[in-house]
Amino acid sequence: MTYPNTQLFINGEWQEAQDGKTLAVFNPATGKEIGRVAHAGTADLDRALASAQKGFETWRDMPAIERNKIMRKAAAFMRERAGDIAAMLTQEQGKPLAEAKGETMAAADIIEWFADEGLRVYGRIVPSRGNLAARQMVLKDPVGVVAAFTPWNFPINQVVRKLGAALAAGCSMIVKAAEETPAAPAQLIKAFADAGIPAGVLNLVYGNPADISNYLIPHPVVRKITFTGSTPVGKQLAALAGKHMKRVTMELGGHAPVIVCEDADIALAVKASGAAKFRNAGQVCISPTRFLVHESVKKQFADAMVKTATALKVGDGLAEGTQMGPLANPRRVTAMAEFTKDAIQKGATVLAGGDKIGDAGNFWQPTVLADVPLDAKVFNDEPFGPMAAIRSFNTLDEAIAEANRLAFGLAGYAFTKNLKNADLLARKVEVGMLWMNMPALPTAEMPFGGIKDSGYGSEGGPEALEAYLNTRAVTVMNV
């Protein structure tokens, strides 16, 4: 389908930036410009803020069951339009069409789950210690206008997790989505607009990330900040939010360890972690990155991972049979080259891949590195690309210590048939999400978030709604 130009969405209307400024959008498979996206200025942000405040006053006072109906209607539109939305997503981000459609369909599930969870936002009555005529109430109220900042790797998923929880709690929102991938999140917002969400409840802007965050976060209308992105940027935004006493949820970078024990099912470990590693060309915050494999099974695991990597069909995400698309932008290609060069210089061996593919687009070979030393860049900085770095261990305590060595604590994986090992891993590996003997399976009903430098707060489960609610105590004495 034809790729559309993308406008801002403010006060229930699609519109160009007031000064008419736009930015180019490029197809990562070809490197060619495919469209334009409106670039918001201060005047546009002021309109979005006024709109969001008005929208909050409307949405907050709407019964939860009515909010539920609108959200569920939006979810139905996402399912109906999944084919067209997925095609837009693939053109702007690069991931294979099947992955893009999966992201779109998953968004519908997330919206529905949060819509129903919003029906269960209850307070409580607490018996008085003294006078029984005193009625003590705990009330849950929406926090207010939310400013959401989302990345390009999952343009729909990263918005819908924030949007779903905020709307279910009764908040309004200004979404600042990624300029590199604007059409897909715009289609998500359009689904809500077509479902009848009141004007101002949802607003969508694009523009200079630093300018927009520095304007929205301190603004008195905004009461809650939610961000997904790199740890350095997240720390800057969290500091700015803290200065102005704004509630914050941060889903930041990871560097997920994969611990493969000597008793692991190696075929399962390779199938599960390999699929997760090369999904979205490795541009996934929870992607497995540091493969810690017991010395006794290291060669078996590495050989099987090489077969997985070399068998992948890399190409344009719209092409039939493509299993891995291009990296999203030229910056990631440069980063992959730097990671590979550094690993080789430090003594690692390239078992598969390790180079750019062709001259057109941002394609990189699925890469497997073996015997990677701890001081290699890839074992310390998140690669965010299709690169599996393997090193061996001799004891499980050694592997756990390496898993916990870095400041990151988002996701982790482990493979073992031993219940004692599984219990030790569950207790000792310092991550917000740990999957054992399986690939990642983040669902709406489970917490989604990290610990340590990978952020705080959850974007899944009932915990996600709590971040958008104020808890207040009210006591009434009957006289």
Side-chain angles (χ1 to χ4, degrees), residues 104-427:
T104 307
M105 297 295 282
D109 292 340
I110 290 170
I111 294 166
E112 288 179 339
W113 189 85
F114 277 117
D116 290 349
E117 193 67 12
L119 299 175
R120 294 181 281 273
V121 176
Y122 305 137
R124 65 183 188 274
I125 302 295
V126 181
S128 171
R129 288 189 176 195
N131 193 327
L132 295 180
R135 177 62 55 90
Q136 298 184 139
M137 297 177 288
V138 178
L139 305 182
K140 301 279 189 178
D141 299 327
V143 68
V145 175
V146 178
F149 303 89
T150 62
W152 47 259
N153 60 327
F154 286 90
I156 296 174
N157 177 277
Q158 298 293 354
V159 175
V160 79
R161 283 185 172 276
K162 304 173 189 305
L163 179 155
L167 293 183
C171 297
S172 64
M173 177 173 277
I174 301 173
V175 178
K176 190 279 170 194
E179 294 70 39
E180 290 172 299
T181 54
Q187 290 299 310
L188 172 64
I189 301 300
K190 186 177 187 300
F192 280 91
D194 293 347
I197 199 163
V201 178
L202 284 179
N203 301 271
L204 175 66
V205 299
Y206 303 92
N208 182 283
D211 290 346
I212 293 177
S213 59
N214 286 331
Y215 193 77
L216 291 183
I217 292 174
H219 200 284
V221 163
V222 174
R223 297 311 312 161
K224 155 81 181 178
I225 314 300
T226 176
F227 171 79
T228 297
S230 72
T231 294
V233 174
K235 287 182 176 180
Q236 292 175 13
L237 299 189
L240 181 59
K243 182 179 178 181
H244 296 275
M245 291 304 294
K246 304 295 177 74
R247 181 107 40 107
V248 177
T249 297
M250 289 280 161
E251 197 261 280
L252 306 180
H255 207 328
V258 183
I259 298 176
V260 182
C261 298
E262 59 185 321
D263 63 343
D265 181 329
I266 300 302
L268 172 64
V270 171
K271 181 179 180 181
S273 62
K277 172 70 267 179
F278 299 112
R279 180 170 72 103
N280 200 23
Q283 300 165 124
V284 184
C285 58
I286 59 174
S287 175
T289 51
R290 293 178 292 153
F291 290 79
L292 309 172
V293 185
H294 192 273
E295 179 65 37
S296 65
V297 294
K298 182 187 71 172
K299 186 177 186 306
Q300 181 185 356
F301 180 88
D303 289 347
M305 186 61 77
V306 167
K307 288 182 180 178
T308 295
T310 55
L312 289 172
K313 182 179 179 181
V314 181
D316 189 322
L318 293 177
E320 186 73 26
T322 294
Q323 295 171 294
M324 192 182 95
L327 293 165
N329 54 61
R331 302 189 305 275
R332 300 313 313 150
V333 176
T334 300
M336 290 302 98
E338 291 174 350
F339 276 113
T340 303
K341 181 180 179 181
D342 174 79
I344 293 171
Q345 290 176 343
K346 298 280 175 54
T349 302
V350 179
L351 298 183
D355 206 353
K356 189 178 187 298
I357 301 174
D359 297 322
N362 309 319
F363 294 98
W364 185 266
Q365 296 172 337
T367 300
V368 180
L369 305 174
D371 302 316
V372 180
L374 289 180
D375 62 346
K377 181 179 174 68
V378 71
F379 247 76
N380 293 277
D381 298 335
E382 184 180 18
F384 218 63
M387 181 173 291
I390 303 172
R391 66 176 284 112
S392 62
F393 69 87
N394 290 302
T395 68
L396 188 53
D397 285 341
E398 176 190 341
I400 292 172
E402 168 53 26
N404 296 339
R405 175 177 63 89
L406 300 183
F408 299 107
L410 186 59
Y413 304 81
F415 295 87
T416 180
K417 297 176 183 177
N418 186 302
L419 286 177
K420 183 178 179 180
N421 287 346
D423 177 69
L424 185 65
L425 289 160
R427 289 187 290 109

